[in-house]
Amino acid sequence: MSDRFFYRANIRLKLFYAMLALIVALIAAINGAGHYIFNRDFLGYLNEQAQQRMEDMVPRLEQAYREHGSWDFIRDNPRAWFELMKPAIVEHNGAARSAGPTFTASDLTGATLRFSLLDASRRPVIGYPNVGPDARLRPLLQDDVIIGWVAQTPFESVIGALDLRFQQSQFAAQIIIAVVAVMLAAFLVVRISGVLTRPLTRVARATHRLASGDYAIRVEVESGDEVGMLAQDFNQLAMTLERNEKLRREFMADVSHELRTPLAILNGQLEALEDGVLQPDAQTLRSLKSEVEHLNKLVGDLYDLSLADAGALTYRRADIDLAPLLRDSAALYSDRFSQRGMRLSCELPASMPVHGDAARLQQLLSNLFENSLRYTDAGGRLQVHAHLQQQHWHLVFDDSEPGVPPEVMARLFERFFRVEASRNRASGGAGLGLAICRRIVDAHQGTIGASASPLGGLRVVVVLPARLEDERGSA
């Protein structure tokens, strides 16, 4: 239940809970460390002071026994006992010693209250009565004979009222520190969460608007941290969606236009046949067939393009020679080029071995020849040549005027893009041929690009990986 509540909480509460847990853990660690250090170091310090005080008492007790001959003078005489426990004062010249009222650290810690005097048989004489087995014993000697013992019961725990007050004051100080730390954590959470949540809130609101179709929405980038990077990524996503939506609308408009035109012509000619305006002769049938072929090619190109975009366009790759495919395509288009008064020339090597789909590569070449035939002025020319460079075949199509403006050169391979929107259907296509060419070349791990031709028109360069002879032999 607590985990569910934590995950449902907003960022501000999560930060507060995290900082509160950290503060509690730190206070617990400090308290535990303080208790450990108190028991180990402070109590050890008290016992060391008491041990030193006991060593100072030994000579005085031995001297007192020598003067009185027994311990009877001190039995039930606390005054004499405390007099002997007083520390000796050493004069500046170091010559005389005497007991004095000076207090030492052991007096302040209460160590003298834990001393005991035992006789030679270890029976209590005076002092701390509860001498346990853990007491430290120091023998008192006279002529190498044990005359008694001094016992010091070590500090094992805090038992005095002063010690308890010390512990209570420490606990109260820790409570105050904890309260101040929680208030500081709340203050920091408010400030930090404000800095973090404001841009995140803007991104969230912009995301809702983007999901509702407002692709023009943008988020202001105010920092270079992760939140700023998120805002930049959101803006990039919004721009991409806006561009894709624009392309989708243009695509639908272009498709509907390209389909409407041949359908309108077919419908008009059929109505003319019904009304008797046109006669069902060979010329009328050829016109109808031409429109049907144009419509069929457009639908086929759209289908191929959709399969290529989805990665579902099939390829049957094999070891083939590209040179005969080029020569066959050039031969098929030679008559159409001649009808427009255009010259077609090919300079090809004897063999161009590649590994690819012969049908798709034939489609690629047909689209390139068709593009030059449609968009080159009558009386122009097309030169095709190929050469091997760095284990890649470079196939170059150079045609004559008209040229292509440099600013639109990169868009030639976009679907439905045509340099001149005013071109009529007789001279221009639907703008799908070069887009399909790019998909076919990409599928063969090659590249295709366009640039200005030295003949004044357009140069299209197709680069395909060559199949080397040793590869064919190993296969």
Side-chain angles (χ1 to χ4, degrees):
M1 182 65 68
S2 59
D3 292 341
R4 187 181 304 171
F5 176 75
F6 179 80
Y7 285 115
R8 288 182 178 179
N10 55 33
I11 295 178
R12 182 171 298 180
L13 285 178
K14 288 180 180 179
L15 285 174
F16 179 75
Y17 293 152
M19 296 192 70
L20 183 62
L22 178 61
I23 290 172
V24 170
L26 288 176
I27 291 176
I30 292 173
N31 189 23
H35 182 72
Y36 173 76
I37 293 173
F38 180 82
N39 289 331
R40 188 193 68 177
D41 296 339
F42 183 65
L43 294 180
Y45 167 75
L46 295 180
N47 289 323
E48 289 178 1
Q49 293 293 323
Q51 183 71 23
Q52 182 62 39
R53 183 64 174 275
M54 185 174 64
E55 293 295 331
D56 292 340
M57 289 172 55
V58 169
R60 294 197 298 277
L61 290 172
E62 291 176 345
Q63 180 64 30
Y65 185 88
R66 205 177 281 114
E67 293 175 355
H68 295 86
S70 69
W71 298 116
D72 293 337
F73 77 97
I74 200 173
R75 196 183 304 274
D76 299 327
N77 189 356
R79 181 181 295 275
W81 170 243
F82 284 114
E83 286 293 330
L84 289 174
M85 283 195 297
K86 288 181 179 180
I89 299 176
V90 181
E91 295 183 358
H92 294 291
N93 55 14
R97 281 176 171 267
S98 63
T102 304
F103 292 97
T104 63
S106 57
D107 295 302
L108 300 176
T109 59
T112 56
L113 300 178
R114 306 178 70 85
F115 288 149
S116 305
L117 177 62
L118 309 178
D119 61 13
S121 300
R122 299 190 179 183
R123 291 189 297 270
V125 177
I126 195 171
Y128 187 69
N130 300 322
V131 180
D134 58 341
R136 299 175 181 177
L137 299 177
R138 176 70 164 80
L140 302 174
L141 303 176
Q142 185 174 345
D143 298 330
D144 296 330
V145 177
I146 296 176
I147 58 175
W149 302 84
V150 178
Q152 184 255 325
T153 302
F155 291 91
E156 295 179 353
S157 62
V158 178
I159 58 174
L162 181 62
D163 300 330
L164 292 177
R165 284 196 300 271
F166 175 76
Q167 272 194 330
Q168 292 173 357
S169 64
Q170 291 295 313
F171 180 74
Q174 291 175 359
I175 293 296
I176 294 174
I177 293 175
V179 172
V180 173
V182 171
M183 295 175 62
L184 181 61
F187 174 76
L188 292 177
V189 165
V190 171
R191 297 300 300 271
I192 295 175
S193 62
V195 174
L196 291 178
T197 55
R198 276 195 297 271
L200 290 178
T201 302
R202 286 197 295 268
V203 173
R205 292 174 180 172
T207 302
H208 293 314
R209 294 181 58 181
L210 184 67
S212 64
D214 185 6
Y215 300 114
I217 185 66
R218 299 292 184 270
V219 177
E220 182 180 358
V221 180
E222 297 180 346
S223 62
D225 55 8
E226 288 81 358
V227 179
M229 294 174 61
L230 176 62
Q232 292 178 356
D233 292 340
F234 174 84
N235 292 337
Q236 184 64 35
L237 173 63
M239 287 189 292
T240 301
L241 291 176
E242 184 180 21
R243 183 175 63 252
N244 290 342
E245 177 63 15
K246 181 180 178 182
L247 291 176
R248 184 189 68 83
R249 292 177 180 178
E250 292 177 353
F251 175 78
M252 296 301 297
D254 290 336
V255 168
S256 61
H257 172 73
E258 293 296 332
L259 291 175
R260 186 185 299 113
T261 303
L263 288 175
I265 294 175
L266 286 173
N267 185 60
Q269 290 181 339
L270 290 174
E271 289 179 353
L273 287 173
E274 290 179 348
D275 296 337
V277 177
L278 291 179
Q279 299 298 320
D281 52 14
Q283 182 178 358
T284 303
L285 294 177
R286 281 197 301 271
S287 177
L288 292 173
K289 184 178 180 181
S290 174
E291 296 301 331
V292 172
E293 289 178 351
H294 178 76
L295 188 60
N296 185 53
K297 184 177 185 307
L298 177 61
V299 173
D301 288 345
L302 287 173
Y303 180 71
D304 289 344
L305 198 58
S306 64
L307 290 179
D309 289 340
L313 194 61
T314 57
Y315 290 88
R316 296 178 177 85
R317 292 179 174 83
D319 294 339
I320 60 175
D321 190 349
L322 190 59
L325 292 180
L326 269 169
R327 295 188 180 94
D328 291 343
S329 296
L332 289 174
Y333 279 89
S334 60
D335 290 341
R336 297 179 60 186
F337 273 84
S338 298
Q339 291 174 3
R340 297 197 62 201
M342 297 176 60
R343 290 174 295 169
L344 173 61
S345 61
C346 294
E347 297 179 6
L348 305 176
S351 176
M352 297 175 62
V354 297
H355 184 77
D357 187 327
R360 295 301 177 190
L361 291 176
Q362 183 69 60
Q363 184 181 8
L364 165 69
L365 298 175
S366 297
N367 286 342
L368 293 177
F369 279 111
E370 187 74 28
N371 184 75
S372 294
L373 181 63
R374 287 179 178 271
Y375 294 106
T376 304
D377 292 340
R381 54 178 174 159
L382 170 65
Q383 291 182 352
V384 182
H385 64 277
H387 62 276
L388 183 64
Q389 180 179 346
Q390 297 180 351
Q391 300 180 2
H392 285 78
W393 289 111
H394 289 245
L395 180 60
V396 183
F397 282 71
D398 278 317
D399 58 28
S400 55
E401 296 177 347
V404 177
E407 61 271 13
V408 300
M409 196 75 71
R411 299 191 58 193
L412 289 178
F413 299 94
E414 296 179 4
R415 64 186 68 185
F416 292 112
F417 178 79
R418 286 174 292 194
V419 178
E420 295 182 19
S422 60
R423 282 185 183 267
N424 55 38
R425 297 179 62 256
S427 60
L432 295 176
L434 291 181
I436 295 175
C437 289
R438 166 160 285 180
R439 303 305 192 280
I440 296 174
V441 172
D442 290 343
H444 286 80
Q445 290 79 46
T447 60
I448 185 172
S451 60
S453 171
L455 300 181
L458 180 69
R459 164 175 285 187
V460 178
V461 180
V462 178
V463 180
L464 295 174
R467 178 177 55 83
L468 304 181
E469 294 298 328
D470 56 349
E471 293 179 354
R472 183 176 60 183
S474 61

